[in-house]
Amino acid sequence: MNTKTTVLGQTYQFRDLKEVFAKANEDKSGDQLAGLAAADSRERVAAKQVLADLTLADIRNNPMVPAEEDEVSRVIEEGINEKIYSEIKNWSVAELREYILSHQAGDNELKRISRGLSSEMIAATAKLMSNLDLITAASKIKVVTHANTVIGQKGVLASRVQPNHPSDNVQGIKASLYEGLSYGIGDAVIGINPVIDTADSVKDILNMTKDVMTKFDIPTQNCVLAHVSTQMRAIRNGAPADLIFQSLAGSEKGNNAFGIDVALLDEADELMRKEGTSYGPNFWYFETGQGSELSSEAHHGMDQVTMEARCYGLARKYNPFIVNTVVGFIGPEYLYDSRQVIRAGLEDHYMGKMHGLPMGCDVCYTNHMKVDQNDMDNLGILLSSAGVNFVIGVAMADDVMLNYQSTSFHDIAAFREVMGLRPAPDFEKWLEKMGIMENGRLTAKAGDPTIFM
Amino acid sequence: MEQQLDFLVDKVVAELQKKLGEATEQAPSPKAETGGLIQLRSEPKAEPVASATTAPTQAPVANEQPAPSAEPERTTHVPNPKYKEGLDELLSSTPARIGVWRTGVRPLTKTMLELRRDHAAAVDAVYGEVSQAVLDQYSLFTVETQYDNTENYLKRPDMGRVLTEEGVRLLQERCQKKPQVQIVVSDGLSAAAVDANLKDVLPSLMDSLKSYGLTCGTPFFIQGGRVASMDHVGEILEPEVLVLLIGERPGLVTAHSMSAYMCYRPRKGMVESERTVISNIHRQGTSPVEAGAHIGTILSKMLEQKASGVKLVL
C-alpha cells in the first residue's frame, strides 16, 4: 500500500490510512480540533492523491478500527456482499469515484455496488468529490421506504414537522403541529423532541399525535425522539409508535456515550416488529452528525467524515424509514462556518444515499456558528436538487426548545415550488382533500392553523 | 388579556418550580436524558448549553427587560382564520412563531425581520464583551483562558478550559487559598448573560451564603471560559466547593441565559456527572434572584454531604 506522493515538488509520506483519510478531507474545524487536519492545501491535495490510488482491498485489509475492538466495525464488515466486493476490490478509489459518476451507473447499479462497499470506502469517494460531484452522484439514487406511507420517490420532497415545545405542553405542541400541517409539512413524520425523557410523557405525546392523525385521517407517521429505551418502555405500556428513534455514533464507544449498543437496537427492532403501529417494513428513524464521536472522545483517531460514514454502516443494518444528519447542530468546534456546514450536509447526504439509506437533513445552525438563515436557504436548495428524501420543518425555523434554527415551513414550501417537487403522494392527496394544496401549490387556505380546530 | 396574562404567569411559575426542582435533582447524565438532537449535542453537559432536563421555560410572559431578543410579539397576521378565537388559543399555548401567515410561500417582511433581529441579538451576545462596570461593581478582577480570540474560543473548547500562566499567577497572588466557597464568573457563550443577570444573582447568592454561615473566597472573572475551566481553578485555589456562573449558548427567545455549575472539590479530570447545574437563569426563565438563593442552598448541601453531581442528594 503506497502512502507516499509528491505534490508541487514536495514529497509527502503519510503514516497510515487514518492520516491519509483525515488529511484528504475538506477543511473542518472538528478535524483541526482532533489534531488530524492537513496543515495546508498542498498537504490536503497530497492526501487526496494518495487516497485516489489506494485500492478498495487496501482499505478493507487495513482496518482503521479493527472489528475485534468495535461492534460498529463488525456490523459494517458483516454487511459486505463478498461476491460484489470481489468484483471491485482491485479498483482504486479514483476508479470507484468515476464509476459512481459515470452514466453507466444508474440507480440500480449504485444500489448493487453499495452492497459490496464498506463505509470507509464510501467515505473515501466523498473525499475525492467536489460539492457538485456529491450532488450529481446522490441525485441518481432513489431510496423509497414504507412505514404507514411511502416516501423517497422521484420528484418528492418530504418533511418532518417538528413542533417542539419548551415544556412539552401538549396543547403547545399541537399548535405548532397545526401550523405545520397547514403549510403541507409533516409527510415524513410528526416528530417531537421531548424535554422530559420519561415513558409516561412520551406516551402522552404519542397518543396526542396519533389522535390528531386519526381525527383528520392524516397519512403519515408519528414519533417521539426520546432515548430508545424510554420509547421502548412507552411502547410496552401501550403507546402507539409508528417509528422508533435513536441517535447513532460511528463507534461502539460513541454509542455507549449515547447509552446504546447493537444488542439494544436489536431488542428495539424486535419490539417494533411485534408492537409498532405502522405497516412497515421500515420503522426506524436515525439521526447522525459529524463530530459527535470526537465530542465523546470515541473517534479512534479518525476524521469526522469517516466516522459519520460508519454511522450509516450501522444504520443500514436496520432498514430505516428515515435517517437524517443534524448537520449544523453539533457546534462550531466541528463545523465552524457556512462553507463547512454546506460541505458536510452534501457529504452526509451522499454517503447516506450510497449506503442505500433514505437520507434527509436537518439543515440547521446554532447561534455561535458563523452561519445564518441565508446559508440554510442555500443548503436547502442544494439538497433539494440532490434529491434529499426529507428536511425538517420548524415554525419560522426557530426551535424554541432546542434553541437552534432549522428550515421553516415556508422554506420547505419554497423548496418544493422552486424545484418542482411535491409532498409524498398520499399526503398530497390528503392536502387536496383538506383544501390546503391544489395542483402542487398552496391554496389561499394554507397557513391557517385553525382549520384543524 | 389581563386574565390571560395571569394564567400565563401562573403557568410559568408552576413550570419554574418544577424545573428548578428537576434541574437540581441531578447533574444531567447523558444516558438518562438523551433523546434526539440532544444526544448529538457537542458537549451536552460541559458546555453552557441548556440540557434536556433543564431546557428553557420560555412562555410568552410580559417582559420588562429592554432586550432586543424579547419574546416574539403575539400577534397574528392570518387574514381570515377559520376560527379566530382558536388562533389566540394556539398562540397562547406556545412561544413558537406560529400564525405568522405568508406572501406566496415566503414569510411576511415583519416576521422575517423579527427573526433576523433576534438572531442579531444572539450573535452579539457571543461576540460581545462583559461590561467592565459590571465587573467593577462587584470588584471582580479578570483572568483569561488560553482562548486567545473569539474565533479560536469557538473552535477550540479545550483552550477555554485552561487559564493562561498570567492568570494562574494572578489567582495565586490575589485570591484566598482553600476557601470554603469559591465564586467564579465567566462570559462563556454569552457576555450579555453576565451583564443582564450578575447584579441579581450575585447579591442574593452572597446573602444566601451568609445565612448558611458559609465563608467565601475572592471572586473573580474568567474571560473566554468553558465549564471545565472550574477544574483548573480548583487545582490552583483548592476550594471546598466552587460555583461557576457562565453565559449559555444564546437562543433566539433570549440571548441572556446563564448557568450555574457547581462542584465539590473541583480538580482536573472531573467527569460531568460530578457537577450540579442550574441552567436557564434569566428573567423569563429561572429568576436570577431565586437562582442566587438556590445556589447557596445547594452549595451548603454539597459541604454537608461532601459530594456534588449525581451523588448529591437534594
Side-chain angles (χ1 to χ4, degrees):
Chain A
M1 184 175 72
N2 177 42
T3 53
K4 190 172 169 181
T5 194
T6 302
V7 172
L8 302 168
Q10 192 168 336
T11 301
Y12 292 88
Q13 171 66 62
F14 297 102
R15 197 175 53 248
D16 55 13
L17 267 192
K18 282 185 189 177
E19 190 181 15
V20 174
F21 267 63
K23 293 191 168 172
N25 275 351
E26 296 298 302
D27 198 23
K28 302 271 177 61
S29 52
D31 288 338
Q32 288 173 4
L33 177 63
L36 300 169
D40 52 31
S41 310
R42 197 187 286 206
E43 191 183 24
R44 178 166 297 117
V45 174
K48 285 182 195 281
Q49 211 163 282
V50 167
L51 183 63
D53 291 336
L54 293 177
T55 65
L56 303 185
D58 287 336
I59 295 173
R60 191 168 184 198
N61 296 338
N62 296 280
M64 289 178 274
V65 184
E68 304 79 59
E69 290 167 25
D70 183 278
E71 66 177 7
V72 175
S73 295
R74 285 200 287 283
V75 168
I76 294 168
E77 182 59 27
E78 285 160 11
I80 293 178
N81 179 301
E82 296 297 343
K83 196 172 265 179
I84 299 169
Y85 169 73
S86 67
E87 292 168 17
I88 56 174
K89 66 180 179 188
N90 294 322
W91 286 11
S92 65
V93 178
E95 285 169 314
L96 177 59
R97 172 187 170 275
E98 286 166 14
Y99 175 79
I100 290 169
L101 291 167
S102 71
H103 279 145
Q104 82 187 89
D107 186 29
N108 284 338
E109 291 77 13
L110 291 176
K111 279 178 184 149
R112 179 174 185 276
I113 205 170
S114 160
R115 298 173 58 220
L117 297 175
S118 71
S119 303
E120 288 82 358
M121 297 170 198
I122 292 170
T125 59
K127 294 161 196 281
L128 297 184
M129 287 192 178
S130 73
N131 286 5
L132 190 52
D133 291 346
L134 295 168
I135 292 171
T136 307
S139 71
K140 296 201 273 185
I141 308 167
K142 286 288 145 219
V143 184
V144 178
T145 52
H146 189 176
N148 288 330
T149 59
V150 181
I151 66 167
Q153 305 92 330
K154 192 171 173 49
V156 169
L157 173 63
S159 56
R160 165 183 165 192
V161 62
Q162 181 172 297
N164 294 342
H165 187 277
S167 59
D168 287 351
N169 178 297
V170 170
Q171 292 309 318
I173 292 172
K174 217 188 250 188
S176 292
L177 170 59
Y178 289 169
E179 175 94 351
L181 291 170
S182 79
Y183 281 81
I185 309 307
D187 40 349
V189 62
I190 298 170
I192 292 101
N193 298 85
V195 180
I196 304 158
D197 202 292
T198 65
D200 283 348
S201 178
V202 168
K203 189 178 173 184
D204 287 347
I205 301 172
L206 284 169
N207 275 327
M208 180 277 282
T209 48
K210 201 67 179 177
D211 287 348
V212 173
M213 284 168 64
T214 307
K215 184 172 175 195
F216 296 100
D217 204 17
I218 311 172
T220 185
Q221 320 20 252
N222 71 341
C223 187
V224 174
L225 290 77
H227 192 265
V228 67
S229 55
T230 312
Q231 294 170 80
M232 288 165 75
R233 279 198 302 280
I235 292 165
R236 287 192 178 112
N237 293 342
D242 294 332
L243 302 180
I244 190 160
F245 169 84
Q246 182 53 42
S247 291
L248 297 181
S251 69
E252 182 174 343
K253 203 177 159 204
N255 284 319
N256 290 345
F258 286 153
I260 61 160
D261 55 21
V262 169
L264 182 63
L265 295 175
D266 287 347
E267 194 187 331
D269 193 74
E270 192 56 36
L271 179 69
M272 281 302 280
R273 278 173 206 285
K274 291 193 172 127
E275 298 193 38
T277 43
S278 61
Y279 294 102
N282 314 108
F283 45 69
W284 273 100
Y285 174 6
F286 292 124
E287 276 182 355
T288 66
Q290 287 188 26
S292 63
E293 295 82 7
L294 178 59
S295 77
S296 55
E297 287 169 21
H299 62 298
H300 294 269
M302 283 170 71
D303 67 277
Q304 63 189 35
V305 171
T306 309
M307 289 312 284
E308 178 71 8
R310 289 166 52 88
C311 298
Y312 305 136
L314 175 58
R316 75 172 158 185
K317 176 176 195 275
Y318 298 97
N319 298 310
F321 178 67
I322 42 175
V323 179
N324 73 265
T325 167
V326 292
V327 67
F329 196 87
I330 321 289
E333 58 268 49
Y334 308 102
L335 297 170
Y336 182 67
D337 57 15
S338 55
R339 190 181 152 93
Q340 295 186 8
V341 170
I342 287 170
R343 172 73 194 177
L346 297 175
E347 286 168 344
D348 294 355
H349 175 252
Y350 159 76
M351 294 194 298
K353 285 279 166 79
M354 268 308 291
H355 279 82
L357 292 172
M359 258 338 261
C361 182
D362 189 356
V363 175
C364 66
Y365 63 104
T366 56
N367 292 316
H368 57 325
M369 296 169 73
K370 275 222 179 295
V371 178
D372 66 20
Q373 215 59 41
N374 289 328
D375 301 310
M376 299 299 97
D377 292 355
N378 293 351
L379 181 55
I381 286 290
L382 292 174
L383 284 169
S384 298
S385 70
V388 71
N389 280 40
F390 76 106
V391 289
I392 307 280
V394 181
M396 280 307 291
D398 172 16
D399 191 301
V400 294
M401 195 284 270
L402 292 170
N403 272 325
Y404 78 121
Q405 286 85 252
S406 181
T407 40
S408 69
F409 304 144
H410 299 75
D411 293 342
I412 296 167
F415 298 151
R416 286 172 175 162
E417 200 165 294
V418 172
M419 305 300 292
L421 300 167
R422 306 289 272 262
D426 295 344
F427 195 79
E428 184 173 343
K429 269 186 216 132
W430 173 79
L431 289 171
E432 284 172 354
K433 195 176 85 185
M434 294 297 296
I436 295 168
M437 189 171 260
E438 239 175 58
N439 303 317
R441 282 178 91 98
L442 294 179
T443 66
K445 271 170 85 174
D448 175 9
T450 67
I451 57 177
F452 296 101
M453 297 182 84
Chain B
M1 188 60 201
E2 201 172 312
Q3 206 178 357
Q4 195 186 22
L5 204 62
D6 283 349
F7 165 71
L8 285 169
V9 169
D10 282 353
K11 207 164 71 173
V12 170
V13 170
E15 275 301 325
L16 279 181
Q17 284 167 343
K18 198 170 105 195
K19 290 291 164 198
L20 206 58
E22 272 173 22
T24 52
E25 269 161 25
Q26 52 176 356
S29 120
K31 286 177 191 172
E33 77 182 23
T34 46
L37 299 164
I38 294 148
Q39 291 171 310
L40 283 162
R41 284 190 166 169
S42 51
E43 279 180 282
K45 308 140 289 145
E47 295 308 320
V49 171
S51 67
T53 48
T54 55
T57 310
Q58 293 147 352
V61 290
N63 179 24
E64 299 157 44
Q65 198 169 310
S69 57
E71 88 285 355
E73 287 160 45
R74 308 309 293 171
T75 51
T76 173
H77 305 287
V78 180
N80 297 302
K82 185 179 159 219
Y83 177 33
K84 199 168 177 320
E85 295 73 21
L87 202 50
D88 296 335
E89 202 182 296
L90 295 180
L91 283 159
S92 67
S93 67
T94 178
R97 294 167 202 251
I98 60 167
V100 293
W101 200 238
R102 60 196 173 82
T103 172
V105 288
R106 303 308 297 152
L108 301 183
T109 309
K110 190 166 183 280
T111 329
M112 180 272 291
L113 289 177
E114 279 167 6
L115 185 77
R116 292 302 297 258
R117 178 197 68 191
D118 293 347
H119 183 241
V123 171
D124 282 355
V126 174
Y127 286 88
E129 284 197 13
V130 171
S131 142
Q132 189 58 44
V134 170
L135 300 179
D136 289 345
Q137 194 182 344
Y138 299 102
S139 312
L140 301 176
F141 68 95
T142 298
V143 296
E144 289 191 12
T145 67
Q146 299 180 349
Y147 81 106
D148 200 32
N149 58 59
T150 304
E151 179 175 333
N152 202 51
Y153 174 81
L154 294 172
K155 285 183 173 175
R156 294 290 304 270
D158 53 326
M159 294 171 101
R161 294 174 190 139
V162 184
L163 303 183
T164 57
E165 278 177 34
E166 170 70 7
V168 173
R169 192 183 58 77
L170 274 173
L171 292 197
Q172 280 164 344
E173 270 175 26
R174 300 180 64 169
C175 289
Q176 182 198 327
K177 301 283 153 49
K178 301 191 178 183
Q180 196 172 25
V181 176
Q182 177 66 50
I183 297 173
V184 184
V185 179
S186 183
D187 44 6
L189 284 164
S190 173
V194 174
D195 284 351
N197 299 305
L198 200 63
K199 63 182 182 303
D200 293 321
V201 176
L202 211 50
S204 84
L205 170 58
M206 292 297 194
D207 286 350
S208 174
L209 293 179
K210 208 169 165 186
S211 74
Y212 285 104
L214 303 178
T215 57
C216 184
T218 321
F220 61 94
F221 173 73
I222 300 180
Q223 190 159 325
R226 293 272 176 179
V227 172
S229 62
M230 66 200 278
D231 302 354
H232 194 196
V233 174
E235 294 278 322
I236 302 162
L237 298 178
E238 302 178 66
E240 283 296 292
V241 293
L242 184 151
V243 54
L244 173 65
L245 302 167
I246 185 166
E248 287 179 5
R249 189 188 83 196
L252 292 198
V253 173
T254 180
H256 297 151
S257 195
M258 179 185 255
S259 288
Y261 282 83
M262 289 158 276
C263 191
Y264 178 73
R265 292 194 178 170
R267 66 213 169 272
K268 277 186 184 162
M270 298 292 292
V271 295
E272 299 311 326
S273 60
E274 291 175 90
R275 303 187 215 279
T276 302
V277 60
I278 300 178
S279 66
N280 197 29
I281 303 170
H282 60 98
R283 295 181 70 161
Q284 295 151 269
T286 303
S287 129
V289 175
E290 280 176 38
H294 203 65
I295 293 165
T297 308
I298 291 172
L299 293 176
S300 77
K301 292 202 172 171
M302 282 182 181
L303 287 164
E304 261 170 46
Q305 298 177 28
K306 301 187 188 306
S308 56
V310 288
K311 287 183 195 143
L312 185 72
V313 185
L314 290 166

